[in-house]
Amino acid sequence: DIQMTQSPSSLSASIGDRVTITCRASQAISNSLAWYQQKPGKAPKLLLYAASRLEGGVPSRFSGSGSGTDYTLTISSLQPEDFATYYCQQFSSPPPTFGQGTKVEIK
Amino acid sequence: EVQLVESGGGLVQPGGSLRLSCAASGFTFSSYDMNWVRQAPGKGPEWVSGITGSGRSTYYADYVKGRFTISRENSKNTLYLQMNSLRAEDTAVYYCAKESGYRSGWDAFDMWGQGTMVTVSS
C-alpha cells in the first residue's frame, strides 16, 4: 500500500495568513492526489483533485501543486471558515490511502 | 441536489453483523463507482471497500476482506455494506462516497454522505 505522510500534523495561524500543508507519498503517484477539508462532526469535503484542479464551488484561495511523491496544499489568505482538518488522499494505486491529517487552528 | 444518505449503523456485539445502506439521489447512480470509507473516533479516514458502477467488480481493504461485502442495487439507487464477524476495531463512522468520474479507474471522492456510526462492543 502507498503510505501518505502529511506535515505538519497541526499548525496555528491567524486570519489572512498564507498556509502550506505538505503531503509525501511513499512512491510516485502521478498527480493522482486529492485534498479534503473536514470540520468536526461533518464528512470530508473535496477541495482539489488531480493535485491541482479546484473542485466546483471551492474558493480560489485554495490551490494545490506538486509532482512525483511530493504535493502541497496552499491557502493564500486564511479565512475563519478555513479552520478545520485537512487530509490528502492518493488514488494512483489501490487501495486508496489517506494522510493522517493536518489540523489548522486559530493562533 | 446530489445527496447520499447512510443508514443501518448501531451498537453490535463482537462477532455480530450489520448491514449499512446508502441511498443516492440527484445523479445517475449506475454511472459512478461508489465506496465505503470509515473513520474511527479521532482518526483519519480509512478506505474500506469499492464497487464499480455496474456492480461487476468489487474491492476490499485487507482488514475487512472475507468479512464485509459491498453491493449495489442500481434500480433502487442504493449502495450496501454487509458487515459480518465484527470486531471492536471496526468501530467507526461509516461514510458512503461517490467517485467523481473525472477519469476512468480510481479517482477522488466528490460526494460523501453524513455517515452512520457503528459501535462494536459487548
Side-chain angles (χ1 to χ4, degrees):
Chain A
D1 297 0
I2 297 177
Q3 305 304 312
M4 305 299 291
T5 304
Q6 284 181 237
S7 60
S9 56
S10 66
L11 64 90
S12 296
S14 300
I15 302 300
D17 282 355
R18 182 181 182 89
V19 169
T20 298
I21 299 167
T22 65
C23 183
R24 173 166 288 176
S26 59
Q27 64 189 71
I29 58 172
S30 304
N31 288 0
S32 297
L33 184 96
W35 289 99
Y36 300 89
Q37 176 193 68
Q38 188 176 32
K39 296 182 178 179
K42 300 293 187 182
K45 173 189 173 184
L46 178 64
L47 298 177
L48 297 115
Y49 62 98
S52 61
R53 298 186 192 179
L54 202 63
E55 175 70 352
V58 174
S60 59
R61 63 180 179 272
F62 292 93
S63 64
S65 64
S67 63
T69 61
D70 295 326
Y71 298 86
T72 61
L73 169 69
T74 299
I75 308 173
S76 60
S77 177
L78 199 65
Q79 298 302 301
E81 60 268 31
D82 300 338
F83 292 96
T85 300
Y86 294 83
Y87 295 97
C88 62
Q89 178 221 353
Q90 70 80 21
F91 46 90
S92 171
S93 175
T97 47
F98 292 83
Q100 81 280 12
T102 296
K103 187 174 185 178
V104 176
E105 298 176 302
I106 301 171
K107 183 183 285 185
Chain B
E1 180 193 7
V2 176
Q3 194 171 13
L4 299 171
V5 179
E6 300 96 336
S7 60
L11 174 64
V12 62
Q13 292 188 337
S17 298
L18 276 178
R19 189 197 199 199
L20 306 184
S21 299
C22 171
S25 59
F27 64 100
T28 305
F29 181 66
S30 60
S31 296
Y32 293 91
D33 299 349
M34 296 291 295
N35 294 265
W36 288 98
V37 178
R38 70 186 183 185
Q39 189 168 27
K43 303 292 186 183
E46 180 179 66
W47 177 79
V48 171
S49 182
I51 187 168
T52 55
S54 65
R56 277 194 286 269
S57 296
T58 58
Y59 306 89
Y60 298 94
D62 286 345
Y63 34 82
V64 305
K65 202 171 292 183
R67 300 189 297 124
F68 290 12
T69 302
I70 190 172
S71 62
R72 64 193 297 162
E73 199 163 354
N74 286 343
S75 62
K76 294 185 176 181
N77 290 344
T78 304
L79 176 72
Y80 303 101
L81 186 68
Q82 176 67 43
M83 303 187 296
N84 299 331
S85 303
L86 282 160
R87 306 167 180 166
E89 53 265 36
D90 295 319
T91 294
V93 175
Y94 283 73
Y95 296 100
C96 62
K98 167 188 168 291
E99 291 193 27
S100 72
Y102 88 93
R103 69 173 203 179
S104 61
W106 298 91
D107 67 59
F109 302 152
D110 67 343
M111 178 58 56
W112 299 59
Q114 85 288 353
T116 187
M117 183 71 204
V118 172
T119 303
V120 184
S121 175
S122 54

